[in-house]
Amino acid sequence: QPWVARRLTEHEAVLDFPHALYGTWLTVQVLEAPGETPRLLGRRDRAAADGDHDALLASLRRTKGNAVDACGRALFGAPATWLHPRARVLGAAADLEVVVDGEAEHDSGEVSEELGVLSYFAAKLARLAKELFRLELTRDVRASSFDERACSTEVAIASTTRPAGVTLAFRARRGYPDYAEHRLQLPDEHSYLKLSVTAEWGRDAPLVVAAAVAALRARGLATGDDPSALDCVATPGAMLMCCAAAQGAADDPDAALG
């Protein structure tokens, strides 16, 4: 499980969810008082967790500040439904509640099941946050934001050999990354990750767009003919792999186009 128990009693449990970069980013209180509806209460407290727990995070802040802060936005800014599909916000946006059922009489197995759902999605969100951090550390991330359905992230790619720059606009659906059994299966329209590759500047930008799409397809990272609507693999690290392929194609478009 992705949590550490801070306190365990007969009718209550307090669980801390640690993160390598931010320490404890999420605390969940499991309440099962007799005669009351069982609930999961969650709190994301950035004020308590926001310290330089990691040397790379401290270095990133020194060089880039908090202009994008993609990792922090994911952990502390993603809507509550990214942690549980039925979570609702309580007062402050950082507080959330999951009601296990609508009656006081309940099976304790249902509480464990709901906690399992929350733990599963919390682990996915933490994994996405880690990937966004690595993107920001190694690439030119221009923007990253969340809504109820997806995370949108824009990465600028500039060719080192041609006068051209393109933008990779990812849209990772809630539930990304997908820990699929068939990791080598080509993506389809149901993929958790969509990508748009667009020309930004330079006379060779259209060439670089075509080269990037060709490279992504050749490596089995994306399918589709429309650069603005590609379906990508959604396994962990997919955005990083797509950026690496696109950068290689931008630097040598002739090779990518064969």
Side-chain angles (χ1 to χ4, degrees):
Q1 65 274 2
W3 46 260
V4 177
R6 185 199 305 176
R7 182 170 68 250
L8 294 174
T9 67
E10 184 179 359
H11 303 300
E12 179 192 26
V14 178
L15 312 174
D16 290 333
F17 288 68
H19 192 274
L21 300 178
Y22 286 95
T24 298
W25 67 281
L26 170 67
T27 300
V28 174
Q29 185 180 24
V30 184
L31 297 174
E32 295 185 82
E36 297 183 7
T37 300
R39 297 179 297 160
L40 307 179
L41 299 178
R43 169 175 282 271
R44 289 177 283 178
D45 190 355
R46 178 159 192 166
D50 199 4
D52 290 336
H53 296 279
D54 183 88
L56 287 177
L57 177 60
S59 175
L60 180 63
R61 285 178 171 174
R62 284 194 300 269
T63 56
K64 296 187 178 181
N66 291 319
V68 177
D69 189 23
C71 180
R73 286 176 183 269
L75 295 176
F76 303 104
T81 49
W82 280 73
L83 293 169
H84 193 293
R86 292 193 296 102
R88 68 184 185 93
V89 174
L90 286 179
D95 299 336
L96 61 97
E97 177 189 49
V98 178
V99 177
V100 175
D101 58 29
E103 300 177 357
E105 296 297 327
H106 65 279
D107 181 356
S108 60
E110 295 176 354
V111 178
S112 298
E113 182 178 342
E114 297 295 352
L115 177 59
V117 172
L118 188 148
S119 299
Y120 177 71
F121 279 97
K124 282 199 168 193
L125 180 58
R127 182 62 181 81
L128 170 58
K130 177 182 177 181
E131 185 170 348
L132 291 173
F133 171 74
R134 292 182 62 192
L135 270 178
E136 195 170 5
L137 189 66
T138 59
R139 302 291 173 187
D140 185 7
V141 177
R142 296 294 177 86
S144 185
S145 61
F146 282 78
D147 59 31
E148 293 286 345
R149 294 172 178 260
C151 167
S152 301
T153 303
E154 294 184 3
V155 181
I157 298 290
S159 173
T160 59
T161 60
R162 303 290 185 99
V166 301
T167 294
L168 273 58
F170 295 98
R171 186 166 175 81
R173 188 157 50 91
R174 189 179 69 193
Y176 173 91
D178 180 21
Y179 301 105
E181 294 182 6
H182 306 292
R183 293 175 65 90
L184 300 181
Q185 181 177 342
L186 288 176
D188 56 27
E189 66 274 12
H190 303 295
S191 172
Y192 279 91
L193 185 63
K194 307 294 183 179
L195 172 62
S196 172
V197 185
T198 57
E200 287 298 321
W201 58 269
R203 66 174 184 273
D204 287 344
L207 174 68
V208 170
V209 169
V213 172
L216 291 167
R217 289 169 57 90
R219 288 164 174 77
L221 295 173
T223 59
D225 299 320
D226 184 356
S228 66
L230 299 174
D231 299 306
C232 299
V233 296
T235 48
M239 288 189 287
L240 289 162
M241 291 186 288
C242 287
C243 286
Q247 185 66 66
D251 293 341
D252 192 356
D254 294 333
L257 292 171

